[in-house]
Structures are given as structure tokens and as C-alpha cells.
């Protein structure tokens, strides 16, 4: 049997294309050289987020163990790539970690996520955001490569193979 239907689905609320925008990096401190990523369409952010929930079901046991190990060391908002969402939320809702950090951020602007993690490592000595970034690379990649994603000011997203 190649296709199996389940009762799961995406929660799209009442979103329509163009209804609102989202800045997935809002509340997240980045370095002084940072050029803001264009806001994403709200529906497209929601689709990326809900799609990334599927990674939780397909992650390798190594990736799951890594996710849990990183989470256990996070104690403050700045330990997360989505610091604007915060430590308390992710500790209480671990199913949102990959959906939020990979779905809302990585799939929107991998370079901005890299910039956040580099800034936190350099300026604050916090390596946890870099660990989250590497987990994202592991989840969407394979042994020798991964894919970066960049959204243009026109709203299109380009997939960029790396490796």
C-alpha cells in the first residue's frame, strides 16, 4: 500500500493569502550588520510551520535524541533561534520546536538563522542557537548536503543546495 490516509491535517485557521504578514525573527536579537528579512505572507508561514510538523514524525532516532539533548540545556529565551517565542513556550510545547524554528525560520531565511546563531556565539558565547541550526541542517539534509532556503522581497522562496 503506497498511500495511507490519516485523520491528521493542517490547521490553517481562517488564513487567506495576503491577509497578514509575519516576521519569524521578531524578538530575536541579531548582530548590527543584520539586514531584516522581508516579512513573510502569513498563510505561507503557516504552511511552512504545519509542513515542518511532519519532520517530527520522520526524524531519525539520532535527530530526536539530539533535539531532546539541546532542549534539556536551554534555560532562557536567547538559547532558542526563535527567542521571541521563548524558553517557557518551547519547554511546555516541545512539538512546536521543529515547526517553529525550522518551519517559520529555516524555510524562510536560512541565512538569517545562521546570522542569529553566529551572533549569539560571538557576542554572547551561547552555542545553543548554533546547535539548533545544525539540527535543522541534519533534519532537511543527508550525510553530505543540506538545503538552504531564502525568501526574496517579492515573496518567492529559493531552495539552495549546499554540500
Amino acid at each position: 500500500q503506497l498511500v495511507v490516509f490519516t485523520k491528521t491535517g493542517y490547521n490553517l485557521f481562517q488564513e487567506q493569502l495576503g491577509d497578514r504578514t509575519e516576521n519569524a525573527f521578531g524578538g530575536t536579537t541579531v548582530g548590527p550588520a543584520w539586514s531584516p528579512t522581508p516579512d513573510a505572507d502569513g498563510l505561507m508561514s503557516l504552511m511552512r510551520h504545519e509542513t515542518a510538523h511532519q519532520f517530527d514524525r520522520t526524524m531519525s532516532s539520532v535527530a530526536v535524541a539530539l533535539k531532546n539533548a539541546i532542549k534539556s540545556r536551554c534555560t532562557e529565551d536567547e538559547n532558542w533561534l526563535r527567542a521571541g517565542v521563548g524558553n517557557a513556550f518551547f519547554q511546555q510545547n516541545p512539538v512546536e520546536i521543529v515547526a517553529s524554528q525550522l518551519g517559520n525560520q529555516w524555510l524562510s531565511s536560512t541565512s538569517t538563522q545562521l546570522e542569529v546563531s553566529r551572533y549569539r556565539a560571538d557576542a554572547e558565547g551561547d552555542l545553543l542557537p548554533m546547535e539548533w541550526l545544525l539540527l535543522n541542517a541534519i533534519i532537511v539534509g543527508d550525510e553530505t548536503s543540506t538545503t538552504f532556503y531564502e525568501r526574496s522581497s517579492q515573496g518567492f522562496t529559493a531552495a539552495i543546495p549546499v554540500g
Side-chain angles (χ1 to χ4, degrees), residues 12-156:
L12 297 179
F13 307 99
Q14 296 295 315
E15 289 280 324
Q16 295 295 317
L17 193 65
D19 279 354
R20 67 175 181 88
T21 60
E22 181 206 34
N23 177 357
F25 295 91
T28 301
T29 305
V30 295
W34 181 61
S35 56
T37 302
D39 284 354
D41 180 82
L43 178 62
M44 297 312 296
S45 285
L46 188 59
M47 290 297 293
R48 283 191 291 272
H49 178 97
E50 295 300 323
T51 299
H53 272 299
Q54 303 311 306
F55 288 117
D56 282 313
R57 297 182 314 104
T58 61
M59 286 173 24
S60 70
S61 59
V62 171
V64 171
L66 182 56
K67 178 183 110 170
N68 292 334
I70 300 168
K71 175 184 166 280
S72 71
R73 295 192 319 277
C74 292
T75 58
E76 53 191 54
D77 293 348
E78 289 73 26
N79 297 149
W80 302 87
L81 290 165
R82 274 199 95 182
V85 174
N87 185 58
F89 178 80
F90 287 127
Q91 295 293 348
Q92 294 168 6
N93 302 283
V95 70
E96 296 298 330
I97 294 170
V98 172
S100 187
Q101 297 193 132
L102 192 149
N104 292 72
Q105 286 187 338
W106 176 281
L107 295 178
S108 180
S109 178
T110 308
S111 67
T112 302
Q113 205 175 60
L114 175 60
E115 189 169 352
V116 168
S117 61
R118 287 180 64 184
Y119 174 75
R120 296 262 181 73
D122 290 344
E124 302 167 10
D126 185 357
L127 297 178
L128 289 166
M130 186 67 72
E131 292 182 39
W132 286 120
L133 177 95
L134 294 173
L135 174 65
N136 291 343
I138 289 167
I139 292 170
V140 301
D142 59 28
E143 292 83 13
T144 61
S145 64
T146 193
T147 304
F148 283 14
Y149 295 86
E150 293 302 327
R151 195 176 68 267
S152 70
S153 58
Q154 292 81 27
F156 300 105

